[in-house]
Amino acid sequence: MISETMQKALLNQLNDEFYSAYLYLAMSAYCAHIDFSGAATWLKRQYDEEQLHATRIYNYLVDQGAHVELKQIVQPPSEFGTILDVFRSSLKHEQTMTGKLNNLSDQALKEKDHATYNLLQWFVNEQVEEEATVSEIISKLKLVKEDGYGLLMIDNELGSRPAPAPVP
Ligand code: FEO
């Protein structure tokens, strides 16, 4: 059984993961609208992945006997600027999420809640990968600047992102 405090904190994180999914879906819609179909696919995959993150927390809360009360999801933006701006927004968002997950891990340690700490370490590691991947995309976009051929190549590459594996 987890503490009331931890339960509330994880419910907030669950909501944040759903917001992340919603944000990436909004980004995907925006990229489709500005004709970056590969980026739209990549961001839709990220939407899928964020829903899996939410499911992972949801499953854990249910397993811990929590009463899962779902909250309202905040409306994401609908305009994101250039394709580079889209991925800069993604990185900024992921950095915020990393900070929240680090704080949650601190709390789990403080409470000697090893089960929750263990769950959170999966997320902390995942954040390292997500930030690195988005940073790499940003670097490539900076490199090609406004070059149409370069942007097309990157967009094609982004479109080949496979679907994420389901939560075990
Ligand atoms: Fe839920 Fe983008 O990590």
Side-chain angles (χ1 to χ4, degrees):
M1 192 71 189
I2 56 175
S3 72
E4 273 294 311
T5 314
M6 185 54 78
Q7 188 172 307
K8 275 188 188 155
L10 286 174
L11 282 170
N12 284 338
Q13 188 62 35
L14 176 66
N15 188 267
D16 282 339
E17 297 294 345
F18 276 125
Y19 174 73
S20 298
Y22 219 26
L23 176 65
Y24 281 113
L25 188 61
M27 288 177 174
S28 177
Y30 178 75
C31 286
H33 182 64
I34 61 170
D35 293 327
F36 278 96
S37 60
T41 298
W42 193 96
L43 291 157
K44 189 98 177 290
R45 296 290 191 224
Q46 192 59 32
Y47 156 75
D48 295 337
E49 196 160 308
E50 298 297 350
Q51 288 183 89
L52 293 171
H53 293 175
T55 302
R56 198 175 274 267
I57 295 173
Y58 172 84
N59 288 349
Y60 178 76
L61 282 164
V62 169
D63 286 349
Q64 287 285 7
H67 178 201
V68 179
E69 286 182 88
L70 298 174
K71 297 177 186 183
Q72 191 169 2
I73 303 166
V74 172
Q75 181 179 2
S78 56
E79 296 284 337
F80 296 92
T82 66
I83 191 72
L84 178 57
D85 293 335
V86 172
F87 284 93
R88 278 185 170 140
S89 295
S90 162
L91 182 60
K92 193 166 167 230
H93 175 71
E94 290 307 334
Q95 287 166 339
T96 303
M97 295 300 276
T98 298
K100 289 185 176 191
L101 287 157
N102 283 339
N103 289 341
L104 272 175
S105 294
D106 286 347
Q107 192 181 331
L109 277 181
K110 201 171 108 195
E111 293 188 19
K112 296 188 178 8
D113 179 350
H114 294 281
T116 303
Y117 182 76
N118 196 34
L119 169 87
L120 292 168
Q121 290 323 283
W122 182 91
F123 282 90
V124 168
N125 291 331
E126 177 73 6
Q127 286 306 119
V128 174
E129 190 191 311
E130 287 199 353
E131 285 190 29
T133 305
V134 176
S135 294
E136 195 184 322
I137 296 168
I138 289 172
S139 297
K140 286 180 183 173
L141 288 169
K142 278 184 180 168
L143 201 67
V144 302
K145 297 192 176 88
E146 300 293 315
D147 178 66
Y149 183 70
L151 286 171
L152 194 63
M153 294 278 284
I154 293 172
D155 195 52
N156 279 342
E157 193 186 322
L158 290 173
S160 66
R161 179 177 179 177
V167 175

